[in-house]
Amino acid sequence: MTEPMTKDRVLIFDTTLRDGEQSPGATMTQEEKIEIAELLDEMGVDIIEAGFPIASEGDFAAVSKIAERTERAVICGLARADFRDIDRCWEAIQNARRPRIHTFIGTSPLHRAIPNLSQDEMADRIHDTVSHARNLCDDVQWSPMDATRTEWDYLKRVCEIAINAGARTINIPDTVGYTAPNESADLIARLLREVSDSSEVTWSTHCHDDLGMATANSLAAVSAGARQIECTINGLGERAGNTALEEVVMALKVRNDLLPFETAVDTTKIMNISRRVSTVSGFPVQMNKAIVGKNAFAHESGIHQDGMLKNAQTFEIMRPADVGLAGTSLPLGKHSGRAALRAKLADLGFDIGDNQLKDIFVRFKDLADRKKEIFDDDIIALMSLVAETTADDRLQIESLEVVCGTGGPAKATLKMRVDNKSRVSTEQGDGPVDATFRAVRAIHPNQAVLQLYQVNAVTEGTDAQATVSVRLEEDGVIATGQSANTDTVVASAQAYVNALNRLLVRRQKFGPGSDVREVSYKELS
Ligand code: KIV
Ligand code: ZN
């Protein structure tokens, strides 16, 4: 059960591992999910939605492990309005110190049409499934999916049914990011006013960012009486994403005069978790993203820099340290030792064991041979490399040589291990990256379609590392790979192979012949 509410406390419900991970291509491994859950717990998030246990064996295992290990936060699992879903969810979370079942059904006319249920039939289903969940678990949350496009009378009726059946939290999803701040506030205020026994439950808001209003809509809901915000790190989530945790938490902190509410989040942990989520999900944070973007605290123009030097408050409404950004620090170089690297990693929020340090140190020395100064961003990129590749990867690059220039088509010779057998191929292409990708396909033929190929320089200068993101799609299965290197073509090859490795894992999990099916949370059995 969530702790008793004081009037001005807003609960932070993080759904990075469920709604965030549902974002196409944002698959995380079980270890990555556990690591993120631990960081969320340490950070002071109140409720962690750890996954959707019936979706796959992998999801079930990740939720169970998170439930067993988490110290403080409530651990929540998602379930459709279906007894088997709810039972499976309970099985996964029952060992949590504080378990919660979150069950939902689409209540708008469009969503009611999918399972083809009448209003009355759906109302009965809600009553039965919430009661069933309540028989298993004290803490039950219920959501009418697409609430903001549900007829008022029906929304009121189903909320009352769920409260009567024992739900403790009623979450109001703006599933398609359709609402606007004044409407979001009016809806919550009206629910609080007109739903019978509304004061018996915590009202929650869950917004998507399709029109760029998720943060504003969530805060408006809080001003009107909602006391739980559902959100994700970096705003990760389907389509345009969910409400960004860092935005609502910092808005509540910085504008506490307008929004006099508290959260339990330690904001100094924001940057670290943002980086980790970006790395493990393969979704880079846009440069000018509020709070966690690389430029969020950068002051380039002369007027701004001058003002900042005289008084930081001239152009800064929050201090970089408030979100865990260390001040400018000295770069490392090829003479830096293991201790300096460990200290830097700790500074950047990476808590690593001795074995991992050994591995990272080798990569660090290799980079230092190619690059004079190693900046914080280089180290962060290096850490993302470590997370991307494992000894179990079926495809492993051994060497790559590329010839390119004005003289003719580029030529790439690639040596790669496939299931422990070494193979070589030389291919021509329209430029070095095209030739390299053709060589990968010659060694490992596949039908994957390249959906995204993105290159960013990590720092300045011609010896800067490039981070490359590659997103592939094959038969509806999507996977993203990332890599970083001072050689853009090598980074591209590695990112492409990383994405293929992930695709192979996903295909095994969900593809034809697998024993588990990827369950869409929008479909009702
Ligand atoms: O957006 C949505 O409606 C959801 C529900 C499952 C809560 O994520
Ligand atoms: Zn959602």
Side-chain angles (χ1 to χ4, degrees), residues 19 206 208 242:
D19 222 353
H206 174 113
H208 282 263
N242 289 57

Side-chain angles (χ1 to χ4, degrees), residues 1-3 5 9-17 37 40-41 43-51 66 70 72-77 93 98-102 139 141 169 202-204 227-232 245 264-265:
M1 245 201 310
T2 31
E3 50 200 52
M5 296 285 300
R9 175 86 154 77
V10 170
L11 297 171
I12 297 296
F13 177 115
D14 181 277
T15 183
T16 307
L17 299 174
L40 289 167
D41 196 32
M43 184 190 203
V45 157
D46 299 282
I47 304 114
I48 299 172
E49 189 161 51
I66 291 170
T70 309
R72 205 197 58 85
V74 171
I75 298 302
C76 176
I93 60 167
R98 304 159 79 201
R100 173 182 293 189
I101 296 175
H102 176 194
D139 188 353
Q141 168 169 326
T169 302
T202 300
W203 291 89
S204 166
R227 289 295 176 267
Q228 174 176 294
I229 301 178
E230 302 207 353
C231 46
T232 60
L245 180 146
V265 171

Side-chain angles (χ1 to χ4, degrees), residues 310-330:
K310 290 186 177 127
N311 179 354
Q313 282 179 359
T314 333
F315 288 105
E316 234 167 45
I317 56 168
M318 50 199 155
R319 289 169 307 157
D322 294 342
V323 298
L325 260 180
T328 37
S329 55
L330 293 176

Side-chain angles (χ1 to χ4, degrees), residues 44 127 132 209 234 283 301 402 412 414 503:
H127 177 266
H132 182 67
D209 206 29
N234 299 339
F283 274 62
S301 84
V402 179
L414 176 73
L503 204 57

